[in-house]
Amino acid sequence: MFSSGLALLFSDLAHLNPNQLLNNPLPAYSLPLMVAICILLFEQLFSRYKQVGLIFVVKAYHFDEGQLNWGNLFYQFSVGLLLTWGGYAVGVVGPACYLTAVVASNLSYMARLTEGQIRLSVACGTAAAVAALFNAPLAGTVIAYELVMRRFNWRSIATIAVVAATASVISQLHGGSMLSINLPPQSFEWHGLAQFALLGMLCGLFATLLVKLIRAMPKLNRNVAVTIAASVTALAGLLNPQWLGLEPITPNELLYWELSLSQQHLWLLARIVLTTVALAFALPGGSLGPMLVIGGILGSIIGDVIPNSADLMLVIVGMGAMFGAVFRTPWAAFLLITEQTMQLEVVIPAIVACLCASAVAKYIFRSPSLIEQQLLNAQIRLINSPVLVKEENKTLNNEQLQQS
């Protein structure tokens, strides 16, 4: 309950636009520069607490006995809001997952739970954030398993599922999140399945491109990196203020775009550049939301190019396919889309697109997932995880006992 409430509060605040509350709103291009100064100042003041984000949830689970610091919560909450208000191409899901993981970890520690239970609480916090923000308890459970735990234990999965279901109920009582998707009733015909396979392959290609661009970015001095990210974002705001911020590009807004094909191409290029810069220079914002946006734009473009296509369904399925390809979690992406829409007509297109996208990225281009690349950039090697090593040794011992 605490975790889901915090995630919803963070999301609601992130989707505000403080600039519109001013009598004389500031130019859009000035906001990224002002926020960059604030970020550098925060990093100096809270240098001990600046290791935040989903990859450090993974690190806490595997290497730090699930322990996270309250100071990191304050830093993530403050800087995460500043980044979204400043128009950077970051999302709210990653920071929300970190915030809820910190709360769950510390409440478990204060309750004097065991090391394994504290570690499990971190995964539960992650699932709670996803379930609350998307009203998708099954997707939240699978994301916690695939991205954080990376090992199967039915008792742990059951516990996470209960927590995710509770968070989903809290989200409904709250009135839903601004990330909710309201898709009108759709129809599906089997002869149109090829367009979803094509969309999936295209998402796999763009997912690979994004990860490779992020990997190719040079490691720079922190002040220089933040300055470059701020300059690129400010330039985008100068060219088109709508490219910045969350308001024009929520999932629901993407469904009802009224842009020409050339304008959609410009949006796609802008979002790829802005997202790559933000993630490559490790700004402490989320990466899941931007992938949903890029996938939705790709779906919208395919819908305009192919005559008599299922436009709205392509947008929704594109979001899931891009998310599944970038994080290599096709089943979590499929569940996220189906739980959001609650329409049987979406099931087959979503499965086909998500599996095609992940297969193209993994087997054709052999690209690592974004989370794996970010872990490598942070010099976190999960192959050395005591949790996974212990699980592997346990499996080997069981096999030897069965053979003997």
Side-chain angles (χ1 to χ4, degrees):
M1 292 176 63
F2 287 112
S3 297
S4 56
L6 181 60
L8 292 168
L9 172 64
F10 180 80
S11 174
D12 289 345
L13 291 175
H15 283 84
L16 294 177
N17 189 347
N19 196 32
Q20 292 182 349
L21 302 178
L22 301 176
N23 292 329
N24 296 309
L26 298 171
Y29 62 82
S30 68
L31 296 177
L33 301 174
M34 295 171 61
V35 167
I37 296 172
C38 294
I39 290 173
L40 292 175
L41 180 61
F42 266 83
E43 290 188 351
Q44 290 294 323
L45 294 175
F46 301 95
S47 57
R48 291 177 53 195
Y49 305 115
K50 62 182 183 180
Q51 290 188 331
V52 296
L54 188 56
I55 62 171
F56 289 101
V57 174
V58 177
K59 178 178 180 290
Y61 181 90
H62 288 276
F63 295 100
D64 300 332
E65 301 176 354
Q67 295 185 12
L68 294 164
N69 198 295
W70 285 115
N72 296 77
L73 182 145
F74 176 77
Y75 176 81
Q76 177 68 94
F77 194 93
S78 303
V79 176
L81 288 179
L82 286 172
L83 285 169
T84 55
W85 291 343
Y88 288 86
V90 295
V92 302
V93 182
C97 288
Y98 186 85
L99 295 172
T100 53
V102 173
V103 171
S105 171
N106 282 277
L107 290 179
S108 299
Y109 182 78
M110 289 188 289
R112 298 186 177 181
L113 300 183
T114 65
E115 175 189 320
Q117 291 170 330
I118 295 174
R119 185 184 291 115
L120 175 60
S121 70
V122 170
C124 288
T126 303
V130 175
L133 292 178
F134 291 100
N135 193 20
L138 293 178
T141 303
V142 175
I143 286 173
Y145 161 61
E146 291 187 331
L147 292 185
V148 180
M149 292 176 58
R150 297 171 180 261
R151 65 190 182 98
F152 182 80
N153 181 293
W154 70 268
R155 290 186 181 88
S156 299
I157 298 297
T159 303
I160 293 172
V162 171
V163 172
T166 304
S168 181
V169 171
I170 298 298
S171 177
Q172 293 175 24
L173 293 175
H174 172 74
S177 165
M178 296 190 74
L179 296 176
S180 299
I181 301 172
N182 299 315
L183 181 68
Q186 299 292 299
S187 60
F188 168 68
E189 298 179 358
W190 285 96
H191 63 77
L193 194 60
Q195 61 188 327
F196 294 100
L198 173 63
L199 174 60
M201 290 185 284
L202 194 61
C203 286
L205 173 64
F206 274 85
T208 303
L209 174 64
L210 272 168
V211 174
K212 288 186 178 296
L213 286 173
I214 291 170
R215 182 169 54 186
M217 285 288 183
K219 292 185 178 180
L220 302 173
N221 173 275
R222 186 59 180 165
N223 292 347
V224 174
V226 173
T227 301
I228 292 175
S231 301
V232 172
T233 308
L235 178 60
L238 185 63
L239 296 174
N240 185 351
Q242 286 194 326
W243 286 344
L244 307 186
L246 298 173
E247 199 168 296
I249 49 172
T250 60
N252 273 326
E253 294 291 338
L254 279 172
L255 288 175
Y256 303 105
W257 263 16
E258 295 182 358
L259 298 178
S260 66
L261 193 59
S262 60
Q263 288 177 313
Q264 292 181 52
H265 288 153
L266 287 175
W267 265 90
L268 178 63
L269 177 62
R271 297 308 298 183
I272 289 175
V273 171
L274 292 174
T275 301
T276 299
V277 169
L279 298 180
F281 293 134
L283 297 182
S287 53
L288 193 155
M291 300 310 155
L292 296 179
V293 170
I294 292 173
I297 297 173
L298 284 171
S300 179
I301 291 173
I302 292 293
D304 280 0
V305 170
I306 299 177
N308 301 320
S309 59
D311 297 353
L312 297 184
M313 202 184 302
L314 282 167
V315 174
I316 295 297
V317 171
M319 293 179 189
M322 191 68 184
F323 163 47
V326 167
F327 292 97
R328 206 75 78 253
T329 55
W331 294 111
F334 157 70
L335 288 170
L336 184 68
I337 296 305
T338 52
E339 285 186 285
Q340 279 288 291
T341 58
M342 297 300 289
Q343 295 188 35
L344 290 175
E345 290 78 8
V346 178
V347 171
I348 299 300
I351 290 177
V352 170
C354 291
L355 290 179
C356 286
S358 295
V360 167
K362 183 176 181 179
Y363 297 110
I364 296 180
F365 294 106
R366 300 185 180 278
S367 171
S369 69
L370 176 60
I371 196 79
E372 290 169 349
Q373 187 59 52
Q374 290 177 318
L375 287 167
L376 289 174
N377 290 347
Q379 298 182 342
I380 301 171
R381 303 288 192 273
L382 285 185
I383 194 173
N384 300 324
S385 164
V387 178
L388 298 181
V389 170
K390 180 180 178 180
E391 191 72 20
E392 185 178 350
N393 291 338
K394 183 179 178 181
T395 303
L396 290 174
N397 290 336
N398 290 338
E399 290 177 354
Q400 290 174 355
L401 287 174
Q402 290 176 358
Q403 291 174 358
S404 61

